[in-house]
């Protein structure tokens, strides 16, 4: 078993600041032990539960993850179950969490773990890091929390706390700065409590050393050693390069319902790569007209306008509904019943403004509900 093949080199910042900050680590551990949040994956921190929780928590708030985690664990209680589940059912379990490639990577990794490691995650940083969807942070979190290995886990919360503790004005989006901070975290890591230390730093960032505001330094167990605590500088750190502006797309979304007694809705499968790769969607176009492959005419009913923000794109959507006699779906399309929508046809959150009404629209006469 190896913690990692090569520990991060102790650079100048790590060497200098770890000597100054190390004496405060016990106070951080005490603070965490006395008041840590209750979280379901902390109740039984098996490697599988830690792994799934860490993947779900990427780019997603804890409160949003909680109901998904419980449902996921109930349906897919172990790695072999995750490796076998149908992709559509997996997407249904992930529906609404966003960043769907996380779920696909999770399953690809589960299949590798089942084939190569007998269905149990390997207790080794490098072997974890080699699995799909597991980067430096996630490998460090699983290795330290689930296996007790002395590996740092540096996410956005930890970067912010470390930047403030050290008073660093370096841009934390730069890889070299992240490496410096990772080396500092590794230097501070107590070898007997690596998982608690990593979780304590993260939780301090979530609950006390808050982003984009004045942190709550009065409640901080590290205030005695912090370079900027209780000063206006705290709210200005960390420094990060401004994000690129998002591309704007104006999309027209079509809710196409069949006029059968048991109504169905027409869905389209997105291409296997790119944004929302391989997911089902409501048909939509950038040019305002119906997709040319759909044999639909007649007057639509105007639906609400909607907006969805992805990391690099903003969709401004105008919706129209058609009720039509069912036709043979062109390649890539499928008529989907209300029952299938409940179990294994997930629609991305981008379409929520329309999708949230589908159960009602599929259950009653079209004219009554728009
Ligand atoms: Fe953050 Fe304040 Fe604690 Fe420093 S003292 S780590 S700024 S909460």
């Amino acid at each position: 078993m190896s913690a990692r093949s090569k520990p991060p080199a102790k650079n100048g910042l790590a060497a200098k600041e770890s000597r100054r900050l190390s004496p405060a680590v016990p106070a951080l551990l005490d603070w965490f032990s006395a008041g840590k949040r209750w979280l379901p994956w902390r109740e039984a921190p098996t490697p599988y539960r830690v792994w799934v929780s860490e993947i779900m928590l990427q780019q997603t708030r804890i409160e949003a993850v909680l109901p998904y985690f419980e449902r996921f664990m109930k349906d897919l209680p172990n790695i072999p179950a995750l490796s076998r589940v149908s992709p559509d059912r997996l997407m249904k379990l992930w529906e609404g969490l966003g960043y769907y490639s996380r779920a696909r990577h999770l399953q690809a990794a589960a299949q590798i773990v089942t084939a190569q490691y007998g269905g149990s995650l390997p207790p080794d940083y490098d072997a974890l890091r080699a699995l799909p969807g597991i980067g430096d942070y996630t490998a460090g979190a699983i290795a330290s929390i689930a296996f007790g290995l002395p590996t740092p886990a540096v996410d956005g919360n930890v970067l912010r706390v470390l930047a403030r503790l050290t008073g660093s004005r370096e841009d934390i989006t730069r890889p070299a700065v992240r490496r410096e901070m990772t080396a500092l975290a590794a230097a501070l890591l107590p070898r007997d409590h690596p998982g608690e230390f990593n979780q304590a730093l993260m939780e301090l960032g979530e609950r006390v050393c808050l982003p984009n505001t004045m942190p709550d330094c009065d409640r901080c167990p590290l205030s005695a050693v912090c370079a900027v605590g209780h000063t206006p500088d705290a709210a200005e750190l960390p420094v990060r390069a401004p994000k690129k502006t998002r591309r704007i797309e104006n999309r027209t979304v079509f809710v196409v319902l069949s006029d059968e007694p048991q109504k169905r809705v027409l869905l389209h499968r997105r291409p296997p790569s790119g944004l929302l790769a391989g997911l089902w969607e409501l048909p939509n176009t950038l040019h305002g007209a119906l997709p040319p492959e759909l044999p639909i005419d007649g007057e639509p009913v105007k639906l609400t306008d909607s907006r969805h923000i992805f990391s690099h794109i903003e969709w401004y959507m105008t919706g129209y509904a058609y009720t039509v006699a069912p036709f043979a779906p062109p390649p890539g399309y499928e008529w989907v019943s209300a029952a299938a929508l409940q179990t294994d046809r997930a629609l991305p959150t981008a379409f929520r403004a329309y999708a949230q009404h589908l159960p009602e629209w599929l259950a009653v006469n079209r004219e009554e509900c728009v």
Side-chain angles (χ1 to χ4, degrees):
M1 184 192 305
S2 76
R4 54 186 303 149
S5 56
K6 212 163 142 202
K10 231 188 196 184
N11 54 30
L13 179 98
K16 180 170 139 257
E17 291 291 56
S18 65
R19 274 194 299 276
R20 189 176 70 76
L21 298 173
S22 283
V25 168
L28 175 68
L29 293 176
D30 288 348
W31 170 84
F32 182 65
S33 166
K36 66 185 166 194
R37 273 183 81 160
W38 179 88
L39 295 170
W41 44 91
R42 284 183 178 162
E43 284 295 286
T46 63
Y48 178 55
R49 288 166 67 85
V50 172
W51 174 36
V52 171
S53 68
E54 289 296 344
I55 299 294
M56 286 187 169
L57 287 165
Q58 290 169 5
Q59 324 270 359
T60 312
R61 294 174 55 247
I62 288 175
E63 287 69 24
V65 165
L66 289 173
Y68 283 89
F69 180 80
E70 303 281 16
R71 193 171 54 137
F72 198 93
M73 283 299 145
K74 205 160 157 242
D75 252 53
L76 307 173
N78 51 46
I79 292 175
L82 170 59
S83 73
R84 288 191 305 264
V85 69
S86 80
D88 281 330
R89 178 64 190 152
L90 178 62
M91 288 302 141
K92 191 68 196 173
L93 290 168
W94 209 266
E95 183 179 31
L97 256 188
Y99 299 98
Y100 292 84
S101 58
R102 294 181 294 175
R104 276 190 289 274
H105 286 145
L106 205 52
Q107 184 170 46
Q111 288 165 349
I112 293 170
V113 170
T114 301
Q116 293 186 7
Y117 301 108
S120 298
L121 280 169
D124 180 283
Y125 176 91
D126 291 321
L128 291 167
R129 181 69 182 79
L131 292 170
I134 296 189
D136 291 342
Y137 162 76
T138 306
I142 299 169
S144 62
I145 298 169
F147 295 117
L149 297 174
T151 53
V154 176
D155 67 353
N157 283 316
V158 174
L159 276 175
R160 180 172 62 259
V161 172
L162 293 178
R164 287 172 173 169
L165 283 172
T166 58
S168 169
R169 293 199 162 269
E170 301 282 347
D171 173 4
I172 58 160
T173 63
R174 284 179 46 221
V177 176
R178 297 179 83 100
R179 279 197 296 276
E180 271 188 352
M181 294 300 177
T182 302
L184 173 58
L188 293 172
L189 197 75
R191 297 187 75 82
D192 49 348
H193 295 291
E196 287 81 358
F197 173 79
N198 284 335
Q199 292 177 89
L201 269 187
M202 288 180 228
E203 189 152 325
L204 189 69
E206 283 158 15
R207 292 175 45 201
V208 177
C209 197
L210 301 168
N212 310 317
T213 185
M214 193 58 203
D216 194 354
C217 302
D218 287 341
R219 290 175 50 226
C220 179
L222 301 178
S223 62
V225 292
C226 182
V228 298
H230 296 102
T231 76
D233 281 358
E236 289 170 19
L237 295 180
V239 172
R240 65 170 71 234
K243 287 187 181 158
K244 287 186 192 151
T245 51
R246 297 188 191 93
R247 187 171 84 235
I248 305 288
E249 289 186 358
N250 294 307
R251 292 196 165 257
T252 307
V253 176
F254 301 97
V255 178
V256 182
L257 302 170
S258 68
D259 63 2
E260 307 155 286
Q262 296 285 314
K263 291 182 195 307
R264 293 176 294 167
V265 61
L266 189 70
L267 298 187
H268 173 250
R269 175 87 86 175
R270 289 183 64 83
S273 60
L275 184 71
L276 304 175
L279 293 177
W280 291 97
E281 65 177 356
L282 293 167
N284 63 89
T285 61
L286 281 168
H287 47 63
L290 280 157
E293 62 272 25
L294 296 183
I296 294 174
D297 53 25
E299 276 305 303
V301 175
K302 172 81 172 63
L303 302 175
T304 183
D305 292 342
S306 172
R307 183 175 77 132
H308 187 78
I309 299 176
F310 298 94
S311 53
H312 299 99
I313 304 175
E314 283 182 43
W315 280 5
Y316 287 83
M317 291 169 277
T318 304
Y320 291 96
Y322 288 85
T323 301
V324 300
F327 50 82
Y333 288 83
E334 186 179 285
W335 288 106
V336 173
S337 67
L341 269 180
Q342 293 278 329
T343 54
D344 62 1
R345 286 292 177 269
L347 282 170
T349 312
F351 298 100
R352 180 174 284 161
Y354 311 106
Q356 66 183 345
H357 298 296
L358 281 175
E360 170 197 349
W361 290 345
L362 289 167
V364 299
N365 287 332
R366 186 82 202 95
E367 295 71 24
E368 293 173 18
C369 57
V370 245

